[in-house]
Amino acid sequence: MSANSRLTIAAHALAWIGLYQRQGHEVATSEQIATSANTNPVVIRRLLGELRRAGLVGSRRGVGAGWSLARELTSITLLDVYEAVEPGPLFAMHRATPDQECVIGYGIQPAMQGIYESIEETLRRELARVTLEDVLRDVLAAPR
Amino acid sequence: MSANSRLTIAAHALAWIGLYQRQGHEVATSEQIATSANTNPVVIRRLLGELRRAGLVGSRRGVGAGWSLARELTSITLLDVYEAVEPGPLFAMHRATPDQECVIGYGIQPAMQGIYESIEETLRRELARVTLEDVLRDVLAAPR
DNA sequence: TCTGATCGCAACTTTTATTGTTACGACTGA
DNA sequence: TCAGTCGTAACAATAAAAGTTGCGATCAGA
């Protein structure tokens, strides 16, 4: 399926900023985060831009520019991040409209939509149960 | 996210075969199913091939060739279909290995993997609660 | 034995989304 | 003014899914 790592990278960035701030720094740069995540700074800026739109982080420009958390890690859940960075639904419908003359073709989309909605709702509940604080704790618990 | 319709198309195909058999026909052709789903027969054959490997359908060749259910719709769940046609995990890790010298880069993958596993387990449980019989019922319930 | 319909499968193209890269203007404290 | 970084557009590269073409294999029935 999705082979899409946006949620992973966004969580990585938030955990990184959170830890960095706990070490006494005010802001983190996209350059630093990109190095840790082994990707390009622009990719990080794009993702953090979406998180800013969702009110999870803030950014400063000019000298001493960089990113900081707008909320405590304890109050940010994976659902917040997921909704900020994931555009579409989990499962897609047919690319082309199915044959409306066919009973199945006619009824399949409303049927699957209803089923998918309730499944996604469950997924959301699960994502909402994990905070970024949990993530950071798990990250730091990794044995060296 | 995934914009991947494999589960939808596979469910469509199974419901189609199921209904067609209830109408007294022995086998359904990939051509017929493709017409209903508005896609190419080869796409259907590929998907059904995966469902056959999972023991959900069977196929006959030669004259009177086509596809038939290997199990009742009541005994096939969306989880069976999902596992048959979806290759990878729901959420992907970093494309390139994160910086192992960094505390976050080092611990992020095991941490996220653990979190994702439990979330996917919940997703599986939800998918297992819906049978293809449920899907067909919902499809036929669509108002004309 | 021949035939027609369909599967099985490989190879290739097209489409779409994500990710990566380059470039450059905007911003701001020193 | 300057150095450092964000903001963002534009484009290239990568990857996965979906679509297409072609052809050999299969087999009931003529």
Side-chain angles (χ1 to χ4, degrees):
Chain A
M1 134 143 324
S2 104
N4 135 326
S5 58
R6 302 162 76 82
L7 184 58
T8 303
I9 304 292
H12 185 141
L14 286 172
W16 203 96
I17 300 173
L19 178 60
Y20 197 58
Q21 292 195 316
R22 282 181 198 183
Q23 291 170 348
H25 303 90
E26 287 222 355
V27 299
T29 69
S30 60
E31 174 76 39
Q32 296 171 312
I33 302 168
T35 299
S36 169
N38 195 3
T39 180
N40 191 290
V42 177
V43 172
I44 299 297
R45 292 208 284 269
R46 275 204 291 245
L47 274 174
L48 288 179
E50 297 177 55
L51 297 183
R52 179 183 47 211
R53 234 170 286 137
L56 306 183
V57 302
S59 68
R60 281 210 314 236
R61 304 176 71 168
V63 174
W67 304 83
S68 54
L69 297 178
R71 291 208 232 151
E72 293 295 321
L73 286 184
T74 49
S75 85
I76 302 177
T77 71
L78 281 186
L79 177 60
D80 296 323
V81 183
Y82 177 82
E83 295 194 320
V85 303
E86 292 290 351
L90 199 53
F91 300 112
M93 285 297 136
H94 310 62
R95 233 195 239 192
T97 309
D99 181 7
Q100 298 297 298
E101 302 304 310
C102 165
V103 195
I104 303 288
Y106 182 81
I108 187 76
Q109 293 203 338
M112 296 308 289
Q113 238 136 33
I115 291 166
Y116 288 160
E117 261 167 41
S118 93
I119 289 176
E120 286 193 31
E121 189 48 42
T122 304
L123 176 71
R124 281 166 201 282
R125 263 199 300 279
E126 284 301 299
L127 287 168
R129 291 178 51 187
V130 183
T131 69
L132 265 290
E133 181 70 31
D134 297 331
V135 172
L136 180 56
R137 180 177 23 76
D138 289 3
V139 167
L140 298 179
R144 260 301 181 182
Chain B
M1 132 149 315
S2 102
N4 134 329
S5 59
R6 304 163 75 82
L7 183 58
T8 302
I9 304 292
H12 186 141
L14 286 172
W16 204 97
I17 300 173
L19 178 60
Y20 197 59
Q21 291 195 317
R22 280 181 201 184
Q23 291 170 347
H25 303 91
E26 287 223 356
V27 298
T29 69
S30 60
E31 175 76 37
Q32 295 171 311
I33 302 168
T35 298
S36 169
N38 196 3
T39 181
N40 191 291
V42 177
V43 173
I44 299 296
R45 292 209 284 269
R46 276 204 288 245
L47 274 174
L48 289 179
E50 298 177 53
L51 297 184
R52 179 183 46 211
R53 235 169 287 137
L56 306 184
V57 302
S59 68
R60 281 212 311 238
R61 305 178 71 168
V63 173
W67 303 83
S68 53
L69 296 179
R71 293 208 231 150
E72 294 294 321
L73 286 185
T74 49
S75 86
I76 302 178
T77 71
L78 280 186
L79 177 60
D80 296 323
V81 183
Y82 178 82
E83 295 194 320
V85 303
E86 291 291 351
L90 199 52
F91 301 110
M93 285 298 137
H94 310 63
R95 230 193 239 192
T97 309
D99 180 8
Q100 298 298 297
E101 302 305 310
C102 165
V103 194
I104 305 287
Y106 181 82
I108 188 75
Q109 293 203 337
M112 295 308 290
Q113 237 136 33
I115 292 166
Y116 287 160
E117 262 167 41
S118 94
I119 290 177
E120 285 194 30
E121 189 48 42
T122 304
L123 175 70
R124 281 166 202 282
R125 261 197 303 279
E126 284 302 298
L127 287 169
R129 291 178 49 187
V130 183
T131 69
L132 265 291
E133 181 70 32
D134 297 330
V135 173
L136 180 56
R137 179 176 24 75
D138 289 3
V139 167
L140 298 179
R144 262 301 183 183

PDB file of all heavy atoms in Angstrom, chain B residues 44-65:
ATOM      1  N   ILE B  44      -8.277  -7.033 -13.688  1.00  0.00           N
ATOM      2  CA  ILE B  44      -9.130  -7.943 -12.926  1.00  0.00           C
ATOM      3  C   ILE B  44      -8.466  -9.315 -12.771  1.00  0.00           C
ATOM      4  O   ILE B  44      -8.446  -9.891 -11.675  1.00  0.00           O
ATOM      5  CB  ILE B  44     -10.500  -8.103 -13.621  1.00  0.00           C
ATOM      6  CG1 ILE B  44     -11.219  -6.745 -13.705  1.00  0.00           C
ATOM      7  CG2 ILE B  44     -11.359  -9.125 -12.894  1.00  0.00           C
ATOM      8  CD1 ILE B  44     -11.563  -6.144 -12.369  1.00  0.00           C
ATOM      9  N   ARG B  45      -7.896  -9.813 -13.855  1.00  0.00           N
ATOM     10  CA  ARG B  45      -7.244 -11.128 -13.772  1.00  0.00           C
ATOM     11  C   ARG B  45      -6.099 -11.110 -12.782  1.00  0.00           C
ATOM     12  O   ARG B  45      -5.898 -12.054 -12.020  1.00  0.00           O
ATOM     13  CB  ARG B  45      -6.734 -11.556 -15.156  1.00  0.00           C
ATOM     14  CG  ARG B  45      -7.850 -11.848 -16.131  1.00  0.00           C
ATOM     15  CD  ARG B  45      -7.445 -12.883 -17.178  1.00  0.00           C
ATOM     16  NE  ARG B  45      -6.579 -12.369 -18.229  1.00  0.00           N
ATOM     17  CZ  ARG B  45      -7.019 -11.852 -19.386  1.00  0.00           C
ATOM     18  NH1 ARG B  45      -8.313 -11.781 -19.614  1.00  0.00           N
ATOM     19  NH2 ARG B  45      -6.180 -11.435 -20.287  1.00  0.00           N
ATOM     20  N   ARG B  46      -5.361 -10.013 -12.763  1.00  0.00           N
ATOM     21  CA  ARG B  46      -4.249  -9.910 -11.813  1.00  0.00           C
ATOM     22  C   ARG B  46      -4.753  -9.958 -10.383  1.00  0.00           C
ATOM     23  O   ARG B  46      -4.230 -10.690  -9.533  1.00  0.00           O
ATOM     24  CB  ARG B  46      -3.477  -8.606 -12.042  1.00  0.00           C
ATOM     25  CG  ARG B  46      -2.450  -8.715 -13.139  1.00  0.00           C
ATOM     26  CD  ARG B  46      -1.343  -7.674 -12.959  1.00  0.00           C
ATOM     27  NE  ARG B  46      -1.793  -6.320 -13.252  1.00  0.00           N
ATOM     28  CZ  ARG B  46      -1.339  -5.577 -14.261  1.00  0.00           C
ATOM     29  NH1 ARG B  46      -0.447  -6.070 -15.081  1.00  0.00           N
ATOM     30  NH2 ARG B  46      -1.763  -4.363 -14.445  1.00  0.00           N
ATOM     31  N   LEU B  47      -5.781  -9.154 -10.096  1.00  0.00           N
ATOM     32  CA  LEU B  47      -6.318  -9.119  -8.734  1.00  0.00           C
ATOM     33  C   LEU B  47      -6.905 -10.473  -8.339  1.00  0.00           C
ATOM     34  O   LEU B  47      -6.637 -10.986  -7.255  1.00  0.00           O
ATOM     35  CB  LEU B  47      -7.394  -8.033  -8.622  1.00  0.00           C
ATOM     36  CG  LEU B  47      -6.902  -6.628  -8.322  1.00  0.00           C
ATOM     37  CD1 LEU B  47      -8.045  -5.639  -8.377  1.00  0.00           C
ATOM     38  CD2 LEU B  47      -6.235  -6.588  -6.940  1.00  0.00           C
ATOM     39  N   LEU B  48      -7.706 -11.049  -9.257  1.00  0.00           N
ATOM     40  CA  LEU B  48      -8.322 -12.331  -8.945  1.00  0.00           C
ATOM     41  C   LEU B  48      -7.262 -13.421  -8.793  1.00  0.00           C
ATOM     42  O   LEU B  48      -7.438 -14.369  -8.027  1.00  0.00           O
ATOM     43  CB  LEU B  48      -9.348 -12.702 -10.019  1.00  0.00           C
ATOM     44  CG  LEU B  48     -10.632 -11.863 -10.000  1.00  0.00           C
ATOM     45  CD1 LEU B  48     -11.576 -12.284 -11.112  1.00  0.00           C
ATOM     46  CD2 LEU B  48     -11.338 -11.990  -8.652  1.00  0.00           C
ATOM     47  N   GLY B  49      -6.168 -13.269  -9.532  1.00  0.00           N
ATOM     48  CA  GLY B  49      -5.062 -14.216  -9.384  1.00  0.00           C
ATOM     49  C   GLY B  49      -4.539 -14.210  -7.956  1.00  0.00           C
ATOM     50  O   GLY B  49      -4.258 -15.256  -7.374  1.00  0.00           O
ATOM     51  N   GLU B  50      -4.455 -13.021  -7.370  1.00  0.00           N
ATOM     52  CA  GLU B  50      -3.985 -12.929  -5.982  1.00  0.00           C
ATOM     53  C   GLU B  50      -5.023 -13.520  -5.025  1.00  0.00           C
ATOM     54  O   GLU B  50      -4.684 -14.149  -4.032  1.00  0.00           O
ATOM     55  CB  GLU B  50      -3.681 -11.469  -5.624  1.00  0.00           C
ATOM     56  CG  GLU B  50      -2.552 -10.896  -6.494  1.00  0.00           C
ATOM     57  CD  GLU B  50      -2.271  -9.417  -6.204  1.00  0.00           C
ATOM     58  OE1 GLU B  50      -2.044  -9.070  -5.044  1.00  0.00           O
ATOM     59  OE2 GLU B  50      -2.274  -8.604  -7.164  1.00  0.00           O
ATOM     60  N   LEU B  51      -6.303 -13.296  -5.350  1.00  0.00           N
ATOM     61  CA  LEU B  51      -7.350 -13.864  -4.498  1.00  0.00           C
ATOM     62  C   LEU B  51      -7.365 -15.392  -4.609  1.00  0.00           C
ATOM     63  O   LEU B  51      -7.704 -16.089  -3.654  1.00  0.00           O
ATOM     64  CB  LEU B  51      -8.715 -13.290  -4.877  1.00  0.00           C
ATOM     65  CG  LEU B  51      -8.899 -11.790  -4.701  1.00  0.00           C
ATOM     66  CD1 LEU B  51     -10.319 -11.366  -5.031  1.00  0.00           C
ATOM     67  CD2 LEU B  51      -8.539 -11.353  -3.274  1.00  0.00           C
ATOM     68  N   ARG B  52      -6.996 -15.897  -5.781  1.00  0.00           N
ATOM     69  CA  ARG B  52      -6.947 -17.352  -5.945  1.00  0.00           C
ATOM     70  C   ARG B  52      -5.814 -17.925  -5.111  1.00  0.00           C
ATOM     71  O   ARG B  52      -5.975 -18.943  -4.447  1.00  0.00           O
ATOM     72  CB  ARG B  52      -6.738 -17.714  -7.408  1.00  0.00           C
ATOM     73  CG  ARG B  52      -6.653 -19.237  -7.633  1.00  0.00           C
ATOM     74  CD  ARG B  52      -6.371 -19.547  -9.081  1.00  0.00           C
ATOM     75  NE  ARG B  52      -5.296 -18.702  -9.557  1.00  0.00           N
ATOM     76  CZ  ARG B  52      -5.167 -18.273 -10.794  1.00  0.00           C
ATOM     77  NH1 ARG B  52      -6.058 -18.618 -11.696  1.00  0.00           N
ATOM     78  NH2 ARG B  52      -4.154 -17.507 -11.132  1.00  0.00           N
ATOM     79  N   ARG B  53      -4.676 -17.259  -5.126  1.00  0.00           N
ATOM     80  CA  ARG B  53      -3.545 -17.708  -4.316  1.00  0.00           C
ATOM     81  C   ARG B  53      -3.943 -17.763  -2.834  1.00  0.00           C
ATOM     82  O   ARG B  53      -3.437 -18.581  -2.072  1.00  0.00           O
ATOM     83  CB  ARG B  53      -2.354 -16.758  -4.512  1.00  0.00           C
ATOM     84  CG  ARG B  53      -1.088 -17.475  -4.938  1.00  0.00           C
ATOM     85  CD  ARG B  53      -0.015 -16.492  -5.368  1.00  0.00           C
ATOM     86  NE  ARG B  53      -0.316 -15.896  -6.675  1.00  0.00           N
ATOM     87  CZ  ARG B  53      -0.177 -14.601  -6.980  1.00  0.00           C
ATOM     88  NH1 ARG B  53       0.289 -13.759  -6.083  1.00  0.00           N
ATOM     89  NH2 ARG B  53      -0.495 -14.152  -8.179  1.00  0.00           N
ATOM     90  N   ALA B  54      -4.867 -16.882  -2.450  1.00  0.00           N
ATOM     91  CA  ALA B  54      -5.329 -16.863  -1.056  1.00  0.00           C
ATOM     92  C   ALA B  54      -6.494 -17.822  -0.835  1.00  0.00           C
ATOM     93  O   ALA B  54      -7.028 -17.900   0.267  1.00  0.00           O
ATOM     94  CB  ALA B  54      -5.742 -15.444  -0.681  1.00  0.00           C
ATOM     95  N   GLY B  55      -6.889 -18.532  -1.891  1.00  0.00           N
ATOM     96  CA  GLY B  55      -7.948 -19.528  -1.727  1.00  0.00           C
ATOM     97  C   GLY B  55      -9.359 -18.967  -1.670  1.00  0.00           C
ATOM     98  O   GLY B  55     -10.268 -19.629  -1.183  1.00  0.00           O
ATOM     99  N   LEU B  56      -9.545 -17.759  -2.169  1.00  0.00           N
ATOM    100  CA  LEU B  56     -10.886 -17.157  -2.109  1.00  0.00           C
ATOM    101  C   LEU B  56     -11.702 -17.431  -3.361  1.00  0.00           C
ATOM    102  O   LEU B  56     -12.929 -17.488  -3.309  1.00  0.00           O
ATOM    103  CB  LEU B  56     -10.776 -15.637  -1.886  1.00  0.00           C
ATOM    104  CG  LEU B  56      -9.948 -15.176  -0.687  1.00  0.00           C
ATOM    105  CD1 LEU B  56     -10.012 -13.666  -0.542  1.00  0.00           C
ATOM    106  CD2 LEU B  56     -10.429 -15.845   0.588  1.00  0.00           C
ATOM    107  N   VAL B  57     -11.030 -17.580  -4.504  1.00  0.00           N
ATOM    108  CA  VAL B  57     -11.737 -17.859  -5.752  1.00  0.00           C
ATOM    109  C   VAL B  57     -10.991 -18.956  -6.508  1.00  0.00           C
ATOM    110  O   VAL B  57      -9.865 -19.312  -6.151  1.00  0.00           O
ATOM    111  CB  VAL B  57     -11.829 -16.605  -6.667  1.00  0.00           C
ATOM    112  CG1 VAL B  57     -12.521 -15.456  -5.961  1.00  0.00           C
ATOM    113  CG2 VAL B  57     -10.439 -16.185  -7.133  1.00  0.00           C
ATOM    114  N   GLY B  58     -11.645 -19.478  -7.534  1.00  0.00           N
ATOM    115  CA  GLY B  58     -11.009 -20.463  -8.396  1.00  0.00           C
ATOM    116  C   GLY B  58     -11.237 -20.055  -9.827  1.00  0.00           C
ATOM    117  O   GLY B  58     -12.114 -19.239 -10.113  1.00  0.00           O
ATOM    118  N   SER B  59     -10.432 -20.587 -10.761  1.00  0.00           N
ATOM    119  CA  SER B  59     -10.625 -20.239 -12.163  1.00  0.00           C
ATOM    120  C   SER B  59     -10.567 -21.497 -13.023  1.00  0.00           C
ATOM    121  O   SER B  59      -9.917 -22.478 -12.660  1.00  0.00           O
ATOM    122  CB  SER B  59      -9.564 -19.241 -12.629  1.00  0.00           C
ATOM    123  OG  SER B  59      -8.284 -19.855 -12.655  1.00  0.00           O
ATOM    124  N   ARG B  60     -11.278 -21.454 -14.131  1.00  0.00           N
ATOM    125  CA  ARG B  60     -11.267 -22.553 -15.100  1.00  0.00           C
ATOM    126  C   ARG B  60     -10.741 -22.010 -16.407  1.00  0.00           C
ATOM    127  O   ARG B  60     -11.012 -20.855 -16.752  1.00  0.00           O
ATOM    128  CB  ARG B  60     -12.696 -23.056 -15.327  1.00  0.00           C
ATOM    129  CG  ARG B  60     -13.206 -23.962 -14.259  1.00  0.00           C
ATOM    130  CD  ARG B  60     -14.178 -24.988 -14.835  1.00  0.00           C
ATOM    131  NE  ARG B  60     -15.216 -24.389 -15.683  1.00  0.00           N
ATOM    132  CZ  ARG B  60     -16.519 -24.525 -15.448  1.00  0.00           C
ATOM    133  NH1 ARG B  60     -16.941 -25.185 -14.382  1.00  0.00           N
ATOM    134  NH2 ARG B  60     -17.393 -23.992 -16.282  1.00  0.00           N
ATOM    135  N   ARG B  61     -10.027 -22.810 -17.157  1.00  0.00           N
ATOM    136  CA  ARG B  61      -9.532 -22.377 -18.455  1.00  0.00           C
ATOM    137  C   ARG B  61     -10.275 -23.138 -19.553  1.00  0.00           C
ATOM    138  O   ARG B  61     -11.128 -23.960 -19.265  1.00  0.00           O
ATOM    139  CB  ARG B  61      -8.028 -22.610 -18.546  1.00  0.00           C
ATOM    140  CG  ARG B  61      -7.288 -21.940 -17.406  1.00  0.00           C
ATOM    141  CD  ARG B  61      -5.809 -22.214 -17.453  1.00  0.00           C
ATOM    142  NE  ARG B  61      -5.175 -21.512 -18.564  1.00  0.00           N
ATOM    143  CZ  ARG B  61      -3.865 -21.386 -18.701  1.00  0.00           C
ATOM    144  NH1 ARG B  61      -3.067 -21.911 -17.788  1.00  0.00           N
ATOM    145  NH2 ARG B  61      -3.354 -20.749 -19.725  1.00  0.00           N
ATOM    146  N   GLY B  62      -9.906 -22.836 -20.773  1.00  0.00           N
ATOM    147  CA  GLY B  62     -10.533 -23.518 -21.909  1.00  0.00           C
ATOM    148  C   GLY B  62     -11.931 -23.007 -22.183  1.00  0.00           C
ATOM    149  O   GLY B  62     -12.289 -21.891 -21.836  1.00  0.00           O
ATOM    150  N   VAL B  63     -12.742 -23.813 -22.827  1.00  0.00           N
ATOM    151  CA  VAL B  63     -14.117 -23.423 -23.129  1.00  0.00           C
ATOM    152  C   VAL B  63     -14.917 -23.334 -21.827  1.00  0.00           C
ATOM    153  O   VAL B  63     -14.723 -24.139 -20.917  1.00  0.00           O
ATOM    154  CB  VAL B  63     -14.766 -24.452 -24.068  1.00  0.00           C
ATOM    155  CG1 VAL B  63     -16.241 -24.144 -24.250  1.00  0.00           C
ATOM    156  CG2 VAL B  63     -14.050 -24.462 -25.413  1.00  0.00           C
ATOM    157  N   GLY B  64     -15.783 -22.339 -21.732  1.00  0.00           N
ATOM    158  CA  GLY B  64     -16.551 -22.143 -20.504  1.00  0.00           C
ATOM    159  C   GLY B  64     -15.648 -21.709 -19.371  1.00  0.00           C
ATOM    160  O   GLY B  64     -15.889 -22.002 -18.208  1.00  0.00           O
ATOM    161  N   ALA B  65     -14.563 -20.994 -19.757  1.00  0.00           N
ATOM    162  CA  ALA B  65     -13.611 -20.545 -18.746  1.00  0.00           C
ATOM    163  C   ALA B  65     -14.177 -19.379 -17.958  1.00  0.00           C
ATOM    164  O   ALA B  65     -15.132 -18.715 -18.384  1.00  0.00           O
ATOM    165  CB  ALA B  65     -12.304 -20.139 -19.414  1.00  0.00           C
TER     166      ALA B  65
END
